């Protein structure tokens, strides 16, 4: 019983942590919240079925990278403890870091950070509860009505990975890979050029 309570508390703190970021961000839509929770609880496993494809995907994206966007951070923590982060490729490359480092970080995160569908479902349901309980059913740009629509659509498909919203895609042009926060710190601090 104590273990279950701790797991539930961990998932709820993930939602509280993420909501803090989402409420301040006018570009975040319900799809982006879903994707954040999916990545924070499931990691990168869905994208790692073929290592050659992962490398080719990175090669293509890396070749087309432009300068970092104004105020684009090097990384965004997806979890309260920094275990899992989105490593933004443009600022990483601008710091003189390499594509090989990104690939290694991404593959390491995929191999060592495991989550579960149940973890995602708990976090996603907690978000739905928070939105339902919110005054006027809105937290930032997130609404309970939008949550309900996306929940119906994704639940019927077994909660798959999804893309960012068009709003987020247009404003952020996201270009990142998931990485272990501690591993990223190690690479940045100890593997200097």
């Amino acid at each position: 019983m104590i273990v279950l309570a701790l797991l539930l508390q961990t998932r709820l703190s993930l939602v509280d942590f993420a909501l803090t970021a989402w409420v301040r961000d006018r570009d975040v839509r319900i799809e982006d919240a879903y994707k954040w929770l999916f990545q924070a609880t499931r990691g990168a496993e869905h994208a790692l079925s073929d290592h050659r494809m992962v490398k080719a995907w990175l090669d293509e994206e890396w070749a087309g990278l432009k300068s970092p966007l104004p105020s684009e951070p090097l990384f965004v923590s997806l979890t309260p403890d920094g275990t899992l982060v989105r490593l933004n490729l443009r600022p990483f490359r601008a710091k003189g870091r390499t594509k090989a480092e990104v690939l290694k970080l991404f593959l390491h995160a995929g191999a060592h950070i495991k989550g579960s569908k149940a973890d995602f479902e708990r976090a996603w349901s907690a978000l739905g509860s928070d939105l339902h309980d919110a005054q006027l059913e809105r937290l930032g740009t997130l609404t309970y009505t939008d949550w309900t629509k996306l929940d119906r659509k994704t639940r019927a498909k077994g909660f798959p990975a999804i893309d960012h919203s068009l709003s987020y895609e247009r404003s952020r042009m996201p270009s990142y890979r998931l990485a272990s926060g501690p591993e990223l710190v190690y690479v940045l601090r100890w593997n200097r050029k």
Side-chain angles (χ1 to χ4, degrees):
M1 189 62 143
I2 292 172
V3 172
L4 180 60
L6 287 173
L7 284 174
L8 186 57
Q9 180 182 358
T10 300
R11 292 304 148 217
L12 291 176
S13 67
L14 167 63
V15 172
D16 292 339
F17 170 77
L19 272 169
T20 302
W22 300 334
V23 167
R24 293 187 316 247
D25 191 336
R26 61 185 171 82
D27 295 315
V28 169
R29 300 296 182 266
I30 199 66
E31 296 87 355
D32 309 304
Y34 178 104
K35 189 170 185 79
W36 179 308
L37 294 177
F38 188 92
Q39 291 174 336
T41 57
R42 309 272 317 260
E45 64 188 36
H46 68 283
L48 292 172
S49 59
D50 180 347
H51 285 220
R52 283 179 294 195
M53 186 177 75
V54 167
K55 185 182 179 312
W57 174 38
L58 179 60
D59 288 343
E60 183 178 333
E61 191 169 355
W62 192 265
L65 287 176
K66 307 270 190 265
S67 297
L69 301 176
S71 67
E72 182 177 16
L74 179 61
F75 67 90
V76 174
S77 184
L78 293 174
T79 58
D81 63 0
T83 301
L84 194 59
V85 301
R86 285 178 177 162
L87 172 60
N88 288 316
L89 300 183
R90 287 179 292 261
F92 190 74
R93 181 170 153 173
K95 287 188 169 296
R97 307 314 296 218
T98 68
K99 179 175 54 171
E101 289 174 307
V102 173
L103 184 60
K104 183 177 178 183
L105 285 163
F106 182 64
L107 293 174
H108 179 272
H112 293 94
I113 299 174
K114 301 293 183 192
S116 73
K117 184 177 175 183
D119 290 340
F120 170 76
E121 288 183 34
R122 277 191 293 275
W124 179 243
S125 292
L127 175 59
S129 293
D130 284 355
L131 289 169
H132 183 265
D133 295 343
Q135 187 177 25
L136 302 176
E137 297 184 349
R138 175 181 293 276
L139 291 170
T141 58
L142 306 178
T143 68
Y144 182 66
T145 301
D146 291 341
W147 181 92
T148 302
K149 288 177 188 173
L150 187 57
D151 182 66
R152 240 183 256 124
K153 179 180 169 183
T154 56
R155 185 177 298 274
K157 296 177 182 176
F159 293 114
I162 65 170
D163 293 328
H164 280 289
S165 68
L166 288 177
S167 169
Y168 195 88
E169 286 280 348
R170 286 181 184 137
S171 67
R172 300 292 165 73
M173 297 174 285
S175 184
Y176 60 78
R177 292 298 181 278
L178 298 184
S180 156
E183 185 75 8
L184 175 60
V185 168
Y186 173 80
V187 166
L188 293 172
R189 188 171 288 161
W190 304 110
N191 288 352
R192 295 185 184 175
K193 301 234 160 245

